[in-house]
């Protein structure tokens, strides 16, 4: 028999076990609470990954529990009937099929994303499709009133994608159609039937092509939420993705209203989104996005989650010929390559498997311990780097601080601590963070010189001083470029690494040439 002391110990142990059981149950998701689609979106508009890098990414994602990959191939897809759309980095059909088969063996379904209304510069830059433009100069969008010719085009493109992909879905894009109702034909349609009807009639035609191929259409939700009046006319097979990158819920419109109509929703937080570029990543916003949006999406009955990862905004600058024929186009914004963002991918993967919101600081400490062998003190130094203020320079001035020098002083505190860290494992990943930090200081140093050049007090006599400072910037750029190539060789193509380095230092060379003329 147990005495009173043993009975007390037994009851205490039972209480602890019961409490732990409740805590575990609170974190464990039921089948109805779990997301059916646990996805990742890969943007190949720029920073095109090598076939081997794609496979290594798929391995990483599979190990994190990801079961879906949305591939925004854009010009890297080897179209059969429309080869003019494919660019110099396009994969072979064998490479595409091999990659999709590789993903299939890992338990990952690959959904092709084919923009079908907006973000189609890579199609409309070619004279073959000029008659489909909504605007002669702004070639971001097709004219939805040219539906017959567009139908023929997208029947070819979707049929091609359906032939090579194994998923039940095709993503048809449909976001950010800022020119909706712009041309004369579209203006008349909007005047008579409304902007929603213009959008829905066209996208209904697109969805029907996909459905006829035995697939379900997936569409970004922003435009239908802004103009929902005709939404009921879209096929109920259509799945909408609510992309929310850290703003208020129902940012674009009334989602519950569309859910009541019978439409299925997936959610999409982001990494590498505005204002991220080479020199700054808003890590805090991305973590906060996962903390807030993922639990909301689960509670709201979203059936899937796709982490978007943007290599660029999709806004381009153009070199034109007479009549606005496109000679060349270049992306306006570049982000750091995906190779530097494994930590956000891992936190997302953990967050979608948790009932409660993820705690970013706790996650980073645990990640740094397992991934790099850090103790808590060093792990918190990494957290400080990720928590640093992502302040940019706008019109030559800081957006918050008094001066660029003040930004540098504050940032150098966390940068210097980061540079002291030594990883026991996965050293290259930590080196990506260190390169990001050094690129940021490189950027701030240049912006300080640029600000002095644009000062009302600048005179041509100061040109030699600024040129000497720019010489130091260019010397530093060569060292940074070498590190960038070393860390990303085999991840991106060699020619892309060279192009990214050239673009990153372009502004420095432009200012240098202007100052030389004043010397």
């Amino acid at each position: 028999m147990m005495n009173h002391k043993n009975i007390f110990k037994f009851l205490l142990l039972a209480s602890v076990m019961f409490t732990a059981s409740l805590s575990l149950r609170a974190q464990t998701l039921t089948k109805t609470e779990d997301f059916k689609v646990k996805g990742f979106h890969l943007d190949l508009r720029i920073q095109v990954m090598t076939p081997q890098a794609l496979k290594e990414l798929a391995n990483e994602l599979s190990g994190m529990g990801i079961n879906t990959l949305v591939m925004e191939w854009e010009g890297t897809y080897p179209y059969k009937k429309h080869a003019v759309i494919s660019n110099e980095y396009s994969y072979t059909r064998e490479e595409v099929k091999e990659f999709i088969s590789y993903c299939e063996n890992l338990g990952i379904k690959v959904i092709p994303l084919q923009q079908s209304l907006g973000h189609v510069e890579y199609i409309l830059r070619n004279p073959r499709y000029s008659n489909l433009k909504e605007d002669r100069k702004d070639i971001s969008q097709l004219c939805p009133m040219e539906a017959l010719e567009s139908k023929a085009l997208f029947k070819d493109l979707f049929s091609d994608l359906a032939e090579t992909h194994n998923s039940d879905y095709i993503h048809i894009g449909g976001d950010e159609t800022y020119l909706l109702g712009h041309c004369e034909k579209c203006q008349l349609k909007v005047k008579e039937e409304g902007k929603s009807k213009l959008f829905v009639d066209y996208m209904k035609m697109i969805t029907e092509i996909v459905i006829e191929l035995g697939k379900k259409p997936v569409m970004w939700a922003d435009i239908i939420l802004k103009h929902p009046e005709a939404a009921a006319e879209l096929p109920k097979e259509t799945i909408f993705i609510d992309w929310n990158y850290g703003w208020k819920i129902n940012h674009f419109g009334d989602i519950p209203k569309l859910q009541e109509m019978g439409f299925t929703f997936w959610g999409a937080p982001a990494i590498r989104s505005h204002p991220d570029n080479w020199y700054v990543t808003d890590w805090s916003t991305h973590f906060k996005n996962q903390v807030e949006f993922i639990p909301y999406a689960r509670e709201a009955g979203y059936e899937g989650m796709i982490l978007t990862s943007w290599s660029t905004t999709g806004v381009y600058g153009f070199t034109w010929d007479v009549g606005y024929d496109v000679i060349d186009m270049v992306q306006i914004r570049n982000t750091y390559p995906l190779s530097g963002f494994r930590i956000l991918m891992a936190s997302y993967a953990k967050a979608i498997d948790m009932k409660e919101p993820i705690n970013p600081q706790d996650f980073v400490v645990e990640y740094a311990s397992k991934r790099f062998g850090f103790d808590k003190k060093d792990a918190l130094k990494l957290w400080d780097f990720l928590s640093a203020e992502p302040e940019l320079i706008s019109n030559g001035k800081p957006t918050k601080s008094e001066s660029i020098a003040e930004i540098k002083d504050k940032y150098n505190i966390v940068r210097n601590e980061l540079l002291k860290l030594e990883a026991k494992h996965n050293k290259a990943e930590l080196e990506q963070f260190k390169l990001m930090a050094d690129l940021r200081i490189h950027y701030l140093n240049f912006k300080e010189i640029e600000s002095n050049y644009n000062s009302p007090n600048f005179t041509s006599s100061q040109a030699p001083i600024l040129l000497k400072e720019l010489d130091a910037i260019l010397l530093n750029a060569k060292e940074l470029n070498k590190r960038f190539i070393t860390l990303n060789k085999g991840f991106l193509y060699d020619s892309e690494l060279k192009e990214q380095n050239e673009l990153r230092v372009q502004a420095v060379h432009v200012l240098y040439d202007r100052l030389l003329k004043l010397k």
Side-chain angles (χ1 to χ4, degrees), residues 479-501:
E479 186 265 330
L480 294 173
N481 289 350
K482 288 179 183 177
R483 287 166 61 189
F484 182 75
I485 289 173
T486 299
L487 286 172
N488 294 288
K489 191 172 181 61
F491 187 81
L492 304 180
Y493 288 104
D494 288 349
S495 55
E496 276 234 296
L497 292 172
K498 183 175 181 288
E499 180 186 5
Q500 289 280 291
N501 279 339

Side-chain angles (χ1 to χ4, degrees), residues 17 27 125 185 229 250 256 303 308 312 315 321 340 365 393 412 440 443 450 468 512:
M17 291 176 66
Q27 291 293 328
R125 68 179 295 176
K185 289 181 181 178
E229 295 80 12
N250 289 329
E303 294 187 8
T308 58
T312 180
V315 178
D321 199 351
V365 169
I393 311 304
N412 267 323
R440 175 149 178 75
Y443 160 81
E450 186 183 55
K468 189 174 181 180
Y512 197 96

Side-chain angles (χ1 to χ4, degrees), residues 195-197 199-200 221-234 252-254 257-258 261 263:
K195 194 169 282 191
S196 180
K197 185 67 172 169
F199 179 73
V200 166
D222 54 317
I223 302 302
I224 196 63
L225 286 169
K226 288 179 180 178
H227 307 289
E229 295 80 12
E233 296 178 30
L234 286 167
F252 293 115
D254 190 347
K257 186 174 180 180
L258 289 187
M261 292 181 187
F263 290 110

Side-chain angles (χ1 to χ4, degrees), residues 332-358:
I332 297 297
R333 179 174 66 87
N334 299 262
T335 59
Y336 196 88
L338 189 60
S339 52
F341 293 89
R342 186 186 186 280
I343 193 168
L344 279 175
M345 293 159 59
S347 64
Y348 159 77
K350 184 169 184 178
I352 59 176
D353 278 341
M354 293 175 60
K355 190 171 185 179
E356 301 300 321
I358 194 169

Side-chain angles (χ1 to χ4, degrees), residues 374-408:
F374 288 171
D375 59 23
K376 187 172 182 179
K377 182 180 178 182
D378 283 348
L380 286 173
K381 291 177 182 178
L382 177 61
W383 170 251
D384 288 341
F385 161 70
L386 298 173
S387 305
E389 181 74 30
E391 188 173 1
L392 286 172
I393 311 304
S394 179
N395 297 318
K397 298 179 181 178
T399 51
K400 295 179 182 178
S401 301
E402 288 295 320
S403 66
I404 297 174
E406 182 185 334
I407 299 177
K408 285 166 56 178

Side-chain angles (χ1 to χ4, degrees), residues 459-476:
T459 63
S460 58
S461 64
Q462 295 171 296
I465 299 171
L466 297 188
L467 281 167
K468 189 174 181 180
E469 292 175 353
L470 284 178
D471 282 332
I473 294 286
L474 289 170
L475 188 64
N476 177 240

Side-chain angles (χ1 to χ4, degrees), residues 80-148:
K80 283 196 298 188
K81 294 184 178 180
H82 297 267
V84 68
I85 297 175
S86 303
N87 63 33
E88 67 271 29
Y89 293 110
S90 66
Y91 303 99
T92 66
R93 294 187 74 81
E94 290 71 27
E95 286 171 334
V96 169
K97 290 176 182 179
E98 184 183 346
F99 173 64
I100 293 169
S101 176
Y102 189 85
C103 289
E104 175 101 46
N105 291 334
L106 293 172
I108 296 175
K109 293 292 184 181
V110 180
I111 301 175
L113 193 163
Q114 173 63 63
Q115 286 285 2
S116 54
L117 185 53
H119 290 301
V120 288
E121 293 92 344
Y122 69 106
I123 296 176
L124 294 180
R125 68 179 295 176
N126 302 294
R128 176 177 174 180
Y129 310 104
S130 291
N131 58 320
L132 298 178
K133 295 177 182 178
E134 176 72 10
D135 182 86
R136 288 177 64 211
K137 188 175 180 182
D138 183 343
I139 61 169
S140 64
Q141 189 176 306
L142 294 153
C143 174
M145 294 302 291
E146 303 295 339
L148 285 177

